Amino acid sequence: MITHIYMVRHAESPFTPDQEEGRGLSEKGWADARKVADRLKPEQIDVFISSNYARALQTIEEAACQQNQAIITEPRFRERELASWDYPFADFEQGIKQVFDNPSFAYPGGESNEVARERGIATLKDVLDHHRGKKIVIGTHGNIMTIMMNHYDKQYDFAFWKKTTKPDIYKLSFDEGKLMNVNRLWE
């Protein structure tokens, strides 16, 4: 029985220090969220699940509304904590590369890729078990999405993360918990 997971990386959201959970979409982000809804409409989604972060919820809100579905909030799909909010990164992108290159490494106040993977994969497996044979949208974030995808296929790494966009949509098709196929639906 095939289960389809639609990983939706959130749309553009202005960075605000120490506001990870509450920061919402920009004007462009809201416009892109409407495009996400249009792109997902023909997929006839059964279940909508989202990180508890505002930008992830807002990105899939219109799609859920169009399909007359509620959004289940799942905090374990939140973005990985890279470091404490005031950590002085000289180069943020290099900071992300460091944790992808060294999966057990964590910055002060942050999660290693291994810890984030454990959280993300346990949650994804719960979703796959509880919604077998369904089409499920997961509103999430770039790092945790890439980390979860990397668990099933190592090609989803730092270089892949760099190529993802805000928003982005990946349709992952699973058969009894095994990843069979990935298609990018956002262009």
Side-chain angles (χ1 to χ4, degrees), residues 6-124:
Y6 299 78
M7 292 279 187
V8 179
R9 185 182 186 192
H10 68 80
E12 182 182 275
S13 174
F15 177 74
T16 308
D18 200 24
Q19 296 294 316
E20 273 301 283
E21 191 172 334
R23 67 183 166 102
L25 297 180
S26 66
E27 197 171 308
K28 179 187 182 313
W30 281 109
D32 283 340
R34 287 187 289 278
K35 293 176 187 172
V36 166
D38 291 342
R39 181 61 194 95
L40 291 173
K41 192 171 188 175
E43 299 293 321
Q44 300 179 338
I45 303 301
D46 299 302
V47 180
F48 286 83
I49 302 172
S50 180
S51 153
N52 59 318
Y53 287 12
R55 60 194 182 273
L57 281 159
Q58 290 170 349
T59 300
I60 65 168
E61 190 174 74
E62 178 67 23
C65 190
Q66 279 183 7
Q67 297 193 36
N68 201 27
Q69 298 282 339
I71 298 173
I72 301 165
T73 303
E74 177 47 80
R76 295 178 296 166
F77 282 131
R78 72 188 179 279
E79 183 60 292
R80 69 97 58 77
E81 289 288 335
L82 186 59
S84 59
W85 71 268
D86 58 349
Y87 186 83
F89 283 102
D91 182 330
F92 182 73
E93 193 172 288
Q94 277 303 114
I96 292 173
K97 186 175 186 324
Q98 169 74 8
V99 292
F100 273 92
D101 288 348
N102 303 287
S104 62
F105 173 79
Y107 290 100
E111 293 176 290
S112 69
N113 273 28
E114 288 174 352
V115 168
R117 176 180 289 118
E118 276 184 40
R119 169 174 54 87
I121 292 302
T123 312
L124 184 57

Side-chain angles (χ1 to χ4, degrees), residues 135-152:
K135 294 180 176 181
I136 306 122
V137 162
I138 297 177
T140 193
H141 309 267
N143 263 220
I144 192 68
M145 177 184 80
T146 302
I147 290 166
M148 287 187 288
M149 291 171 71
N150 179 266
H151 173 79
Y152 295 98

